[in-house]
Amino acid sequence: MEEIYRLGKHEFATREEWEAAKRDLDKIEKIVGHLDIDDPEIAEDLYHLVREGKLTFESKLGTIFFCDMSDRVAQNFEHKLKRNRVLRQKKLQKDEELQKERQIRQKETQQSQMFKILGIACVALSLLCILFYGFSVYRERRAVKKLEEVQQQKNITQALDWYADRIRSESSKEQTSAAEAPQEGQETVKAPEILPEYVTMHNKYPDLAGWIYVEGTQIDLPVMQTSDNAYYLDKNIDKAEDVNGTLFLDYRADVKKPSTNLIIYGHNMKSGAMFGGLKQYLEESYLSEHDKIQFDSIYEKQMYQIIAVCLSDVGDEGSYRYYNFIEAESSEDFQRFLENIRTCAVYDRTQDVTESDSLLTLSTCNSYVEDGRLFVVAKKIQ
């Protein structure tokens, strides 16, 4: 049976190792007995003596002793750093306090003047805020009043034009002479006529393209059209400056034909004016209750049903831009439009849409991304 050599909790394989460890232990006990190793300077000196080979050991007890000295030196160094940081912080705090005292004294000498300046500035700012708020309220009320006037005018002109059209129809029936019939082989192309209820309004507002109405919403508004899509962004129906702008049909669309897709633009106003209410279509319950859109062009009454609610952006170079789809050039072109709106649709009901359908798109801004857009696509049902 092999003999086991122990020294405290340490075991050694041979007697020679055990004797070497015993000599190291005697040496360590003498060092600890004569020196205060808790003293940071003494611990550091012992660490350097062992590291430089001036103090040597024969066994692993010496290694343990060296590791202990290393830990003490590291701890002492860390404590020293902390003390230095504390001292620096105290010095900085003291310097800051002195600086603050100097600043306070300087401020006290200028306090009376500053209070006067601040008082004047506060009064001026308050007046400016009141004026700005009052002007904003005035502009908003003026815009609302103008829309109410236009809506009332529409109701009146509808009634008057309908009555006048009825009189003209009855009068024409009483006439005995008829227009010359077209010769055999000739075809007559009859230009679309303005609906009776929009004749008077169109005479007053030549840019009028139609009227859009969504039951149960604030959308009961005229739609204009010019050769410039930016024109009605900041103008009302009378072409006067108006922060709400006016709804307008894309200049490329044709209401006489009409185009495959009629795109109507409007601002997303916080008050809910114009197309400010379209964001409510992001809620499915709202969509199910208001999924019909009546858009009467000045030539034809039309009803549409919503098939998609989409979130998109203006589009980088090379990306698909929904607002450029006006007239389908081919079946593939129409399908490409459907595929792209499906990729950005929050709600998608395009399964039954075919290339023979006529579409209506309502487009407005949305802040979900930079240059974001919210648009609602509907198909004509009557």
Side-chain angles (χ1 to χ4, degrees):
M1 181 177 179
E2 292 184 0
E3 187 175 354
I4 298 176
Y5 298 91
R6 285 190 176 88
L7 191 61
K9 62 181 180 179
H10 302 285
E11 294 183 358
F12 302 92
T14 64
R15 184 175 181 82
E16 288 76 13
E17 292 179 358
W18 177 77
E19 289 177 348
K22 197 168 183 304
R23 288 192 295 272
D24 285 347
L25 180 60
D26 291 338
K27 187 183 292 186
I28 292 171
E29 288 178 346
K30 288 179 181 179
I31 292 172
V32 174
H34 290 84
L35 300 174
D36 182 9
I37 62 174
D38 291 328
D39 188 317
E41 293 182 359
I42 293 175
E44 187 173 353
D45 290 340
L46 289 172
Y47 167 78
H48 286 296
L49 287 173
V50 177
R51 185 173 182 181
E52 294 169 4
K54 295 178 181 178
L55 177 61
T56 61
F57 297 94
E58 303 175 54
S59 68
K60 62 182 179 181
L61 293 183
T63 303
I64 294 172
F65 179 75
F66 176 69
C67 290
D68 181 55
M69 292 302 104
S70 298
D71 290 341
R72 289 175 183 272
V73 169
Q75 291 174 2
N76 293 333
F77 183 73
E78 186 177 354
H79 293 157
K80 186 176 180 180
L81 287 177
K82 288 182 179 179
R83 286 197 300 272
N84 289 339
R85 282 198 296 267
V86 171
L87 291 174
R88 284 197 300 270
Q89 188 174 4
K90 287 183 178 179
K91 186 177 183 302
L92 288 173
Q93 288 177 348
K94 187 174 181 180
D95 291 342
E96 288 177 359
E97 289 174 359
L98 292 174
Q99 180 67 19
K100 287 179 180 179
E101 289 178 2
R102 286 194 292 268
Q103 291 175 351
I104 289 172
R105 287 195 295 269
Q106 291 175 357
K107 287 180 180 180
E108 287 176 349
T109 59
Q110 302 171 356
Q111 190 172 16
S112 59
Q113 294 181 353
M114 289 180 64
F115 279 143
K116 290 179 181 179
I117 294 172
L118 287 173
I120 295 171
C122 288
V123 172
L125 182 61
S126 298
L127 290 174
L128 286 174
C129 290
I130 293 171
L131 289 173
F132 179 78
Y133 175 76
F135 182 65
S136 299
V137 171
Y138 167 74
R139 287 199 305 174
E140 185 172 347
R141 289 181 177 176
R142 184 180 62 180
V144 171
K145 185 177 180 181
K146 180 60 185 176
L147 288 175
E148 290 174 350
E149 290 175 355
V150 172
Q151 290 169 349
Q152 185 177 10
Q153 182 179 354
K154 178 204 172 193
N155 295 333
I156 295 173
T157 56
Q158 279 184 332
L160 293 176
D161 290 340
W162 175 83
Y163 181 74
D165 184 65
R166 183 179 178 182
I167 296 299
R168 285 194 298 270
S169 298
E170 291 177 354
S171 175
S172 64
K173 290 178 181 179
E174 295 175 357
Q175 295 179 358
T176 56
S177 61
E180 184 179 352
Q183 297 179 4
E184 186 177 353
Q186 290 184 335
E187 292 184 2
T188 58
V189 178
K190 185 178 180 181
E193 296 181 357
I194 297 176
L195 294 173
E197 55 263 50
Y198 292 112
V199 171
T200 301
M201 283 195 70
H202 185 261
N203 290 337
K204 184 174 182 180
Y205 305 109
D207 290 342
L208 183 70
W211 195 281
I212 185 169
Y213 170 71
V214 181
E215 185 177 2
T217 73
Q218 295 188 48
I219 301 176
D220 185 10
L221 303 165
V223 178
M224 314 301 281
Q225 185 182 35
T226 66
S227 59
D228 180 5
N229 274 354
Y231 185 80
Y232 279 104
L233 285 173
D234 56 1
K235 292 180 178 63
N236 61 25
I237 194 171
D238 283 326
K239 301 183 179 182
E241 293 295 323
D242 191 326
V243 66
N244 291 313
T246 304
L247 302 185
F248 60 92
L249 185 68
D250 194 294
Y251 75 93
R252 297 165 293 181
D254 187 350
V255 293
K256 292 182 179 180
K257 219 180 177 177
S259 304
T260 305
N261 185 29
L262 301 176
I263 306 180
I264 301 175
Y265 304 95
H267 285 310
N268 182 3
M269 304 303 294
K270 291 181 180 179
S271 63
M274 298 302 138
F275 278 164
L278 288 188
K279 53 183 171 287
Q280 297 183 76
Y281 278 111
L282 296 173
E283 300 177 10
E284 191 169 7
S285 59
Y286 185 87
L287 172 61
S288 62
E289 295 174 2
H290 307 87
D291 67 338
K292 301 293 191 306
I293 300 173
Q294 181 180 342
F295 173 60
D296 295 344
S297 75
I298 58 175
Y299 303 105
E300 180 185 7
K301 293 181 178 294
Q302 302 163 110
M303 183 67 72
Y304 294 81
Q305 185 169 29
I306 295 174
I307 59 171
V309 179
C310 306
L311 290 174
S312 181
D313 54 30
V314 173
D316 298 327
E317 190 67 29
S319 62
Y320 189 83
R321 303 179 182 182
Y322 70 90
Y323 45 84
N324 281 335
F325 180 73
I326 305 294
E327 191 69 60
E329 298 178 357
S330 63
S331 176
E332 290 76 13
D333 189 28
F334 190 89
Q335 291 303 319
R336 189 181 305 111
F337 172 73
L338 289 181
E339 290 170 5
N340 278 276
I341 66 172
R342 284 165 185 160
T343 61
C344 60
V346 179
Y347 298 109
D348 177 15
R349 300 175 179 176
T350 59
Q351 295 81 3
D352 299 328
V353 180
T354 67
E355 59 187 276
S356 63
D357 286 319
S358 298
L359 303 179
L360 173 70
T361 299
L362 312 184
S363 178
T364 190
C365 296
N366 190 277
S367 59
Y368 86 106
V369 294
E370 185 177 0
D371 291 330
R373 293 293 184 271
L374 166 64
F375 64 101
V376 175
V377 184
K379 76 171 183 178
K380 185 178 177 182
I381 57 177
Q382 67 180 51

